[in-house]
Amino acid sequence: YSSAKADISIDIPAILPATFSPYFVLNRWDYFRSFATFFEKVQPSFLIQNEIYYGLKIKHSVTNSIKSTFDARFFRLEDSYYQSTNFTNIDTADITIFRGFSASWELKKSTLNRKQFANRGNLFLFKVRLVDGYERSYAGSTSFYDSVFNINHQWINLNTEYQNYFSFKTFDICIFVKIQANS
């Protein structure tokens, strides 16, 4: 796994303070990389994933305990893989490329006493994400098909989380509810 990230935060102090954060992320996963000496033939990796995305995140506080975050990004995902475990270094891999745009909005209200292992307060989080992309797949030499596939994808994710801590004399109780929906 290799990763690189570059981002910068620009804080704007005002009556409603805001933070603008442009970012760029590059990730690469190389699964099952072969290791060999100089005299052995090296089999190529079974699965390689490359991920690039860049965007802008805007955060602003609504009140002392409520924060709103908007995130917009463009992305490109590329997977290089084989359809069979029996392949050689002269075989060509299948390639799937997924390009698109994603936007999300998050509203978070938190009065928790700590970021981790809280035992007082409550938290409410609502997040909606829209993804719109275009997938193109190219067949390799080990593929079961020999054509190019093109597919458009659109979906929406909704996430809601609620935590509330109740304190009694000898113990604390937490109610934790998390709901996720995809369409």
Side-chain angles (χ1 to χ4, degrees):
Y1 173 68
S2 303
S3 181
K5 179 179 181 180
D7 65 350
I8 187 168
S9 290
I10 302 165
D11 296 326
I12 300 175
I15 295 172
L16 290 174
T19 301
F20 294 86
S21 300
Y23 58 88
F24 175 81
V25 177
L26 175 64
N27 293 315
R28 179 181 171 91
W29 292 268
D30 190 350
Y31 296 95
F32 309 112
R33 183 177 9 196
S34 299
F35 175 77
T37 62
F38 292 110
F39 303 106
E40 295 176 292
K41 289 185 178 179
V42 177
Q43 192 172 33
S45 293
F46 182 69
L47 172 62
I48 297 174
Q49 293 179 306
N50 292 312
E51 173 182 70
I52 297 172
Y53 60 92
Y54 56 92
L56 177 67
K57 191 177 282 191
I58 302 169
K59 300 178 193 175
H60 72 90
S61 61
V62 180
T63 66
N64 285 342
S65 62
I66 300 174
K67 176 178 74 170
S68 175
T69 305
F70 176 75
D71 183 14
R73 69 176 63 164
F74 291 95
F75 61 87
R76 182 181 190 275
L77 311 172
E78 182 178 324
D79 297 336
S80 175
Y81 53 95
Y82 293 93
Q83 297 281 345
S84 170
T85 56
N86 299 322
F87 61 92
T88 65
N89 55 359
I90 60 170
D91 285 325
T92 58
D94 291 14
I95 296 175
T96 299
I97 299 171
F98 184 47
R99 295 178 188 202
F101 174 77
S102 177
S104 70
W105 177 69
E106 176 182 293
L107 186 66
K108 182 177 183 179
K109 179 183 188 279
S110 178
T111 60
L112 298 177
N113 62 342
R114 291 189 281 266
K115 291 181 181 182
Q116 188 174 12
F117 305 121
N119 61 356
R120 303 276 188 282
N122 57 47
L123 175 131
F124 174 76
L125 176 110
F126 173 77
K127 185 174 184 178
V128 60
R129 176 175 293 279
L130 168 68
V131 179
D132 183 21
Y134 179 75
E135 176 184 354
R136 175 170 257 180
S137 294
Y138 303 94
S141 63
T142 63
S143 181
F144 303 118
Y145 58 90
D146 60 350
S147 60
V148 176
F149 289 103
N150 299 310
I151 303 170
N152 287 320
H153 297 280
Q154 292 97 20
W155 68 86
I156 295 175
N157 294 33
L158 296 172
N159 295 322
T160 302
E161 184 177 325
Y162 174 74
Q163 296 178 32
N164 199 352
Y165 291 87
F166 301 98
S167 182
F168 297 98
K169 290 182 182 178
T170 56
F171 61 92
D172 298 325
I173 293 178
C174 173
I175 295 174
F176 180 87
V177 178
K178 188 170 188 174
I179 300 170
Q180 295 181 334
N182 297 315
S183 172

